[in-house]
Amino acid sequence: MKKSWKAKLCKGESAIWGHYVIVPETIAKTFLDKKIKRVICTINNEIKIHAALMHKKNQHTFININNEIRKRFHLEIGSIVSLEIQEDESKYGMTFPEEMKELMHQDPEGDAVFHKLTPGRQRSLLYLISKPKTSESRLKKALVILDYLKATGGKLDFKELNIAFKASKF
């Protein structure tokens, strides 16, 4: 099932939610009634991103649009964006970096600790790993993350993780 529409780029009032587009209620209901919150969103018929259908209490459903996408499409508040969404059927709700896949294959303990995390924390870590442009950098980041998770028994503190990145001279 695919649904398409055009929306204006909006700016959130809080520091947590930056820029977003509103999903029309009829489209949101189609997905949310089936308990589908993770979607693949195609923006301006060019780029596909993994996204979540977010909901503001007693208000609207929306999809966050990050700085990278806003810059790529030269979007400002009020810009009109073409959108298409479909269910994200991937296991993690995003692309799983090959470097992490290989490391986890070689490190069963790291694999087990990673898979004890909540799906949201798993996605956050996969996002961190996938950001660097080079495979070498993604591999280094994945190594630091798995070592950190094993050392903490799976307890994740992003401030501590940043310190671990800095200590590894990443």
Side-chain angles (χ1 to χ4, degrees), residues 35-47:
K35 307 232 184 287
I36 298 169
K37 289 186 177 183
R38 300 293 307 174
V39 295
I40 301 287
C41 181
T42 305
I43 301 171
N44 288 343
N45 298 315
E46 278 187 47
I47 185 171

Side-chain angles (χ1 to χ4, degrees), residues 15 31 61 91 132-133 145 147 151:
F31 286 86
T61 302
K91 180 176 179 178
K133 293 187 188 319
I145 287 171
D147 286 346

Side-chain angles (χ1 to χ4, degrees), residues 92-128:
Y92 297 96
M94 66 179 311
T95 304
F96 198 90
E98 285 298 319
E99 296 80 5
M100 183 67 159
K101 197 179 291 181
E102 183 59 34
L103 272 180
M104 289 172 67
H105 178 71
Q106 296 175 21
D107 184 355
E109 180 187 356
D111 184 9
V113 174
F114 176 82
H115 283 98
K116 286 181 183 173
L117 298 172
T118 64
R121 289 190 175 236
Q122 290 174 356
R123 274 192 301 277
S124 293
L125 294 175
L126 293 174
Y127 177 78
L128 288 174

Side-chain angles (χ1 to χ4, degrees), residues 6 42-47 69 73 75 80-84:
K6 291 184 186 243
T42 305
I43 301 171
N44 288 343
N45 298 315
E46 278 187 47
I47 185 171
I69 291 168
F73 292 107
L75 300 175
I80 302 297
V81 182
S82 292
L83 301 147
E84 179 182 87

